[in-house]
Amino acid sequence: MPISRGTLPRKAVGAAVPVVLAALTLTACGGGGGGTSADGKVAGDISFQTWNLRANYKDYFNGLIAQFEKEYPDVRVKWIDQPADHYADKLSADAAGGTMPDVVNVSPDLAYPLARAGVLTNLDKEPASAKYRGEYTPEAWQANEMPGLNGGYAFPWYLNTGPLFYNKALFAQAGLDPDRPPKTYDELFADADAMARHSGGKVATLAATPAIEDFGRYGVRLMNADASEFTYNEPKGVELLNRYKQLYTSGGLDSTALTNGPEESGQKFLEQKVAMNPGSAHDLSNFKENAPTLYKNLGITDAPNNTGHPNMYVMGLGISSTSRHKAAAIAFAHFVTDKRNQESFAHKVAIFPSTKGSLDEPYWTRDDGTDEGRVRVAAARMLKGAVNYTPVVMSDEMKTVLQNQVALALQGKKSPKQALDDAVAQSDRLLKQS
């Protein structure tokens, strides 16, 4: 997945890139397990495809491959790096043409249509890969399990989450405890009402409308058991949107939230017109230089949730079900994602390992006094027990449908119930077309 030097964009890891299942003109179906056996000697030539990583991490991956080939002298790894643009389309075309690389960099939303079409290996059904499951956190492995396909389809690789910045000075001015940011949605809405009342509507608490992750964190059931229908229009979902509508009316949600993108929201926070906003170490450095008063009063917390589980984004490595050298492909994917190599990679960029025990290491638990260290320790703490709330079947188009219907509800053009009913109906139709 694309990684900028030193930091990972907040939305990048979990950004759903649409893959049209119909584009996979394959005879295979029902969840992998075909192709060659993973039993036998680790040998042969394999290909390894990453997602826009060569520009900044060429030396790292060349060194990783050289080390693997030293440990497994009968294997040769060809590294392919695809640009960020049209990555999903390239995966679809290769899968349809039977030329998909042996090991592919995928997020869960990319893995799902490939697994459903039978071109990814079910790692839980291959003894050669299933034996490694215990090395990863349960949440990371589960994030790559596909609904209705009974198994995990990618080795968990790196993780990320969105730490939330908040302005302690604005909290204090509103009579709120600056050292106790909201942890639940009840606390969030109460604090936002207090902030709006105290400022006469001039200071909002949030600058963005709720996305699917917010419904998940609120405790809404997002889909039915087999992921064939969306269910976020259940009463609890309607309740959340009703509360956001009240927040929008009172000024607790920024007046431009319907059109704000990440940059606009970040600017509102920098100007101290919004009290809370997602951030990264890069933002912290920007505040230090351009908004020293904000920087001095900056707190870092997790986005409120009612479930006890923060949200995370996860990236993985899938194995082609038709690989001619599946034993080598599995061995290499495990090598890249094992504890030693995940921790090594996460020391080079602001991402986090998915291997058990890694986040207990001092690098992720002790603040070294730098901006990067401050954010890293806060985010690592949030990742413990975090889950990927975004359904793997939810495409970008479906996310846009929800966003548009939420906007209509906040504007009073539809009731929250009608807006969510319409969003679910449209998304279910799109799901059946895929």
Side-chain angles (χ1 to χ4, degrees):
M1 181 66 190
I3 303 177
S4 61
R5 185 177 296 278
T7 186
L8 188 67
R10 287 191 299 275
K11 291 275 204 175
V13 173
V17 183
V19 178
V20 182
L21 186 62
L24 301 179
T25 52
L26 305 165
T27 56
C29 63
T36 60
S37 170
D39 297 333
K41 187 177 180 181
V42 177
D45 295 346
I46 60 171
S47 51
F48 164 50
Q49 179 170 286
T50 52
W51 188 351
N52 197 32
L53 296 179
R54 186 182 296 274
N56 291 331
Y57 305 102
K58 180 179 179 181
D59 291 344
Y60 172 81
F61 283 102
N62 281 337
L64 197 66
I65 290 168
Q67 181 61 36
F68 178 79
E69 291 179 343
K70 182 179 179 181
E71 293 186 23
Y72 295 92
D74 294 322
V75 180
R76 288 293 175 268
V77 180
K78 178 183 178 182
W79 178 27
I80 305 163
D81 188 64
Q82 296 291 349
D85 291 343
H86 308 298
Y87 183 75
D89 296 334
K90 176 64 174 168
L91 271 178
S92 289
D94 287 347
T99 58
M100 194 172 76
D102 300 274
V103 180
V104 289
N105 184 179
V106 288
S107 53
D109 57 287
L110 289 184
Y112 175 70
L114 300 175
R116 188 175 164 196
V119 296
L120 282 186
T121 298
N122 185 330
L123 301 182
D124 282 306
K125 291 186 177 179
E126 281 283 5
S129 52
K131 66 183 180 182
Y132 297 124
R133 177 172 180 155
E135 297 181 14
Y136 306 90
T137 67
E139 295 84 5
W141 190 276
Q142 288 163 11
N144 290 290
E145 292 179 343
M146 301 296 136
L149 300 181
N150 301 317
Y153 285 80
F155 282 104
W157 196 6
Y158 53 85
L159 310 175
N160 214 339
T161 189
L164 196 63
F165 290 156
Y166 71 100
N167 188 321
K168 290 186 174 184
L170 292 179
F171 269 70
Q173 289 167 19
L176 301 170
D177 187 340
D179 295 318
R180 294 188 63 185
K183 298 295 183 185
T184 67
Y185 276 90
D186 282 348
E187 293 173 354
L188 172 65
F189 290 120
D191 287 358
D193 284 342
M195 191 85 63
R197 285 197 311 271
H198 178 271
S199 67
K202 294 180 180 178
V203 177
T205 297
L206 301 175
T209 58
I212 193 66
E213 306 100 282
D214 294 288
F215 285 85
R217 283 191 293 245
Y218 193 71
V220 178
R221 189 173 63 107
L222 304 179
M223 300 201 79
N224 63 1
D226 63 358
S228 61
E229 293 180 342
F230 288 95
T231 58
Y232 56 78
N233 60 334
E234 69 173 19
K236 201 168 187 66
V238 176
E239 175 184 290
L240 176 64
L241 190 50
N242 264 310
R243 298 183 80 173
Y244 262 93
K245 186 177 186 300
Q246 294 166 9
L247 203 64
Y248 186 64
T249 301
S250 70
L253 180 62
D254 186 71
S255 60
T256 60
L258 303 187
T259 56
N260 280 346
E263 289 186 7
E264 291 82 4
S265 297
Q267 184 62 30
K268 289 271 188 177
F269 184 74
L270 185 144
E271 294 171 356
Q272 304 191 61
K273 295 177 180 176
V274 169
M276 304 187 82
N277 199 60
S280 68
H282 172 75
D283 296 314
L284 207 57
S285 300
N286 181 34
F287 300 152
K288 188 175 185 178
E289 180 178 352
N290 298 312
T293 302
L294 170 62
Y295 180 80
K296 186 176 75 170
N297 291 293
L298 200 67
I300 305 176
T301 186
D302 182 33
N305 71 77
N306 293 344
T307 65
H309 298 285
N311 185 58
M312 74 172 175
Y313 307 111
V314 58
M315 192 57 60
L317 294 181
I319 309 296
S320 169
S321 62
T322 58
S323 172
R324 290 170 49 201
H325 304 290
K326 196 178 287 184
I330 288 174
F332 180 72
H334 171 254
F335 178 81
V336 173
T337 62
D338 69 15
K339 190 172 189 287
R340 177 187 62 180
N341 288 319
Q342 284 214 43
E343 290 182 6
S344 173
F345 191 40
H347 275 70
K348 299 179 183 300
V349 63
I351 46 102
F352 300 89
S354 61
T355 41
K356 279 184 180 176
S358 290
L359 295 181
D360 295 323
E361 298 290 336
Y363 183 72
W364 288 284
T365 58
R366 296 179 187 170
D367 187 341
D368 61 8
T370 65
D371 289 339
E372 291 79 6
R374 185 180 176 191
V375 174
R376 179 176 65 245
V377 170
R381 185 175 61 250
M382 297 165 199
L383 276 167
K384 298 212 176 153
V387 298
N388 179 20
Y389 283 107
T390 304
V392 298
V393 302
M394 192 168 193
S395 67
D396 270 354
E397 188 175 2
M398 296 172 195
K399 291 180 181 179
T400 300
V401 165
L402 174 59
Q403 181 182 22
N404 291 341
Q405 292 298 324
V406 163
L408 291 173
L410 296 183
Q411 292 171 307
K413 295 180 179 179
K414 285 186 179 182
S415 70
K417 184 179 189 309
Q418 187 62 57
L420 292 183
D421 284 346
D422 290 348
V424 162
Q426 291 179 51
S427 295
D428 283 348
R429 283 196 295 271
L430 290 169
L431 190 59
K432 287 177 172 59
Q433 293 168 9
S434 65

